[in-house]
Amino acid sequence: MNLSGKSKIPKILQTDQSQLLTDWISEQITAGIRKDLIKEIELREECREFLDLFSASVQQGNFTDIKSTEWRSVREMLGSISRSRSQKGFTPTETATFVFSLKQPLFSRLRLELAQDSESLLEEIWSVTTLLDKLGLWTTESYQKAREEVILRQQEELMELSTPVVKLWEGILALPIIGTLDSARTQVMMESLLQKIVETGSEVAIIDITGVPTVDTLTAQHLLKTVTAARLMGADCILSGIRPQIAQTIVYLGVDLADVITKASLCDAFALALKRTGATISRAQTRT
C-alpha cells in the first residue's frame, strides 16, 4: 500500500515528533525497560535518531517494503541496536519492544487527527501496525543473528583455548587434547600445531590424548591427519595417553597406527622426545 498522497502519518512524524518522542520513551519505561542495562539519556538519543530516520523513510510513501532502499538507514540502525542490546544482556522480547512500543503513541496521534473519519483511522492504524510489525520482526532477526555470531566466535575461542600447544623443551612441543574431536576442532588443532612448529623449529611434537574419553574411527582418523601434517612440516609425532581401554578400542576398530610412535603416558613420551633431540637427563647427586 502506498499512502503517500493521503496518509497523515508523514505529517504527524514531522509536526508532533517532540510529543511522540516523550510518549514513546514513557511507553518503554512503563513496559519495564531495563534501566540497569541502558541509561535514559542513551535511550532518548536512540529514540530520537530512530524517529528522524523513520520519518525520512515514511516521507517516501513506501509503507510495505522495508527491504527497499528507502528503509536502508532504518534497517542499519535497528541492526546496530540489536547487536548492542544482545551484548548488554537484553532479551529478544525486550529488544523488539523498542519498535513495538512506538505503536501506542502513533495510534494516539492518529486518533486526534482522524477523530471524525473512522474509516481512514482504521486504514492508518492498520498501515502503522503492519509497518512496525515488520520492523519489529527485522529487529528480532537481527538480534538472533548477532547472538549466533557471538556464540560462533565463543565456540572458536573455546576450541583454540582447548587445544593449546605447549613448548616443553627446546625442540619439543606438546599438544594436550581434552574432550572429543570433531572436524572443526581438528582443523583448529592442526593449524595451531603447525604454526607452532614453524615458529619454534621443533623436531618432535607430542600429542597427548589422556583427556580424550573415547576413541572411535573418526577420532582416530583426525589424529592420523594431525600426525601426517606435522610430519610434512618436518616434526616427528609421538602419541601419548594410550590407556588400556583405548588401546583395545583401536585394535577392535582395526585402526592402523603402526607408523605412529605411541606411549602410555606423557612422561614416557617426553623422555623419548628428549632422547630423539639428543638431550639427556641425569639425577643430581645428593650431598652427604
Side-chain angles (χ1 to χ4, degrees), residues 156-264:
E156 292 174 349
E157 291 172 353
L158 282 173
M159 281 195 292
E160 291 175 358
L161 289 172
S162 63
T163 53
V165 181
V166 183
K167 183 177 180 179
L168 295 180
W169 202 266
E170 192 65 37
I172 303 174
L173 298 176
L175 175 62
I177 304 173
I178 299 174
T180 57
L181 277 177
D182 57 21
S183 297
R185 190 179 179 197
T186 301
Q187 183 65 31
V188 173
M189 183 177 73
M190 282 198 295
E191 289 176 359
S192 299
L193 179 60
L194 299 181
Q195 182 64 33
K196 202 70 174 179
I197 289 172
V198 171
E199 290 176 0
T200 62
S202 295
E203 304 168 24
V204 181
I206 301 171
I207 301 175
D208 183 68
I209 62 171
T210 304
V212 177
T214 58
V215 173
D216 56 17
T217 304
L218 189 59
T219 303
Q221 289 175 350
H222 289 322
L223 290 171
L224 289 173
K225 286 179 181 178
T226 305
V227 170
T228 302
R231 283 176 174 171
L232 290 173
M233 298 301 296
D236 289 332
C237 273
I238 302 173
L239 189 62
S240 67
I242 307 294
R243 305 185 300 278
Q245 59 269 35
I246 287 184
Q248 292 174 8
T249 302
I250 290 174
V251 171
Y252 176 77
L253 294 173
V255 178
D256 186 10
L257 294 179
D259 294 334
V260 181
I261 302 170
T262 59
K263 289 294 179 180

Side-chain angles (χ1 to χ4, degrees), residues 46-61:
E46 286 181 348
C47 291
R48 184 199 61 74
E49 183 180 351
F50 178 82
L51 278 180
D52 286 341
L53 296 175
F54 184 71
S55 177
S57 297
V58 164
Q59 307 306 320
Q60 304 299 316

Side-chain angles (χ1 to χ4, degrees), residues 39-277:
K39 296 179 180 179
E40 187 169 335
I41 188 172
E42 183 181 352
L43 175 64
R44 176 174 290 275
E45 180 58 28
E46 286 181 348
C47 291
R48 184 199 61 74
E49 183 180 351
F50 178 82
L51 278 180
D52 286 341
L53 296 175
F54 184 71
S55 177
S57 297
V58 164
Q59 307 306 320
Q60 304 299 316
N62 184 348
F63 280 46
T64 56
D65 186 8
I66 66 165
K67 294 184 179 180
S68 63
T69 55
E70 298 97 318
W71 290 94
R72 179 181 299 162
S73 297
V74 173
R75 294 195 308 270
E76 290 175 351
M77 183 183 180
L78 289 177
S80 176
I81 288 176
S82 296
R83 286 189 296 274
S84 173
R85 296 201 175 185
S86 69
Q87 294 169 357
K88 290 178 179 178
F90 283 89
T91 66
T93 299
E94 290 168 340
T95 303
T97 298
F98 175 80
V99 174
F100 292 137
S101 59
L102 181 57
K103 287 183 180 181
Q104 189 57 47
L106 274 174
F107 291 170
S108 298
R109 308 310 299 177
L110 284 170
R111 280 195 294 267
L112 290 175
E113 286 285 337
L114 299 169
Q116 307 302 319
D117 189 350
S118 58
E119 184 176 348
S120 295
L121 176 60
L122 287 174
E123 287 183 4
E124 293 275 44
I125 287 178
W126 176 252
S127 297
V128 169
T129 299
T130 303
L131 177 58
L132 291 178
D133 282 349
K134 289 180 178 180
L135 292 174
L137 289 174
W138 174 271
T139 303
T140 303
E141 290 174 1
S142 298
Y143 177 98
Q144 187 63 34
K145 288 179 181 178
R147 291 300 300 163
E148 289 173 354
E149 289 172 0
V150 169
I151 292 171
L152 180 60
R153 186 171 65 252
Q154 289 174 339
Q155 288 176 337
E156 292 174 349
E157 291 172 353
L158 282 173
M159 281 195 292
E160 291 175 358
L161 289 172
S162 63
T163 53
V165 181
V166 183
K167 183 177 180 179
L168 295 180
W169 202 266
E170 192 65 37
I172 303 174
L173 298 176
L175 175 62
I177 304 173
I178 299 174
T180 57
L181 277 177
D182 57 21
S183 297
R185 190 179 179 197
T186 301
Q187 183 65 31
V188 173
M189 183 177 73
M190 282 198 295
E191 289 176 359
S192 299
L193 179 60
L194 299 181
Q195 182 64 33
K196 202 70 174 179
I197 289 172
V198 171
E199 290 176 0
T200 62
S202 295
E203 304 168 24
V204 181
I206 301 171
I207 301 175
D208 183 68
I209 62 171
T210 304
V212 177
T214 58
V215 173
D216 56 17
T217 304
L218 189 59
T219 303
Q221 289 175 350
H222 289 322
L223 290 171
L224 289 173
K225 286 179 181 178
T226 305
V227 170
T228 302
R231 283 176 174 171
L232 290 173
M233 298 301 296
D236 289 332
C237 273
I238 302 173
L239 189 62
S240 67
I242 307 294
R243 305 185 300 278
Q245 59 269 35
I246 287 184
Q248 292 174 8
T249 302
I250 290 174
V251 171
Y252 176 77
L253 294 173
V255 178
D256 186 10
L257 294 179
D259 294 334
V260 181
I261 302 170
T262 59
K263 289 294 179 180
S265 68
L266 178 59
C267 179
D268 293 338
F270 183 45
L272 177 60
L274 287 171
K275 287 182 180 179
R276 289 199 162 219
T277 57

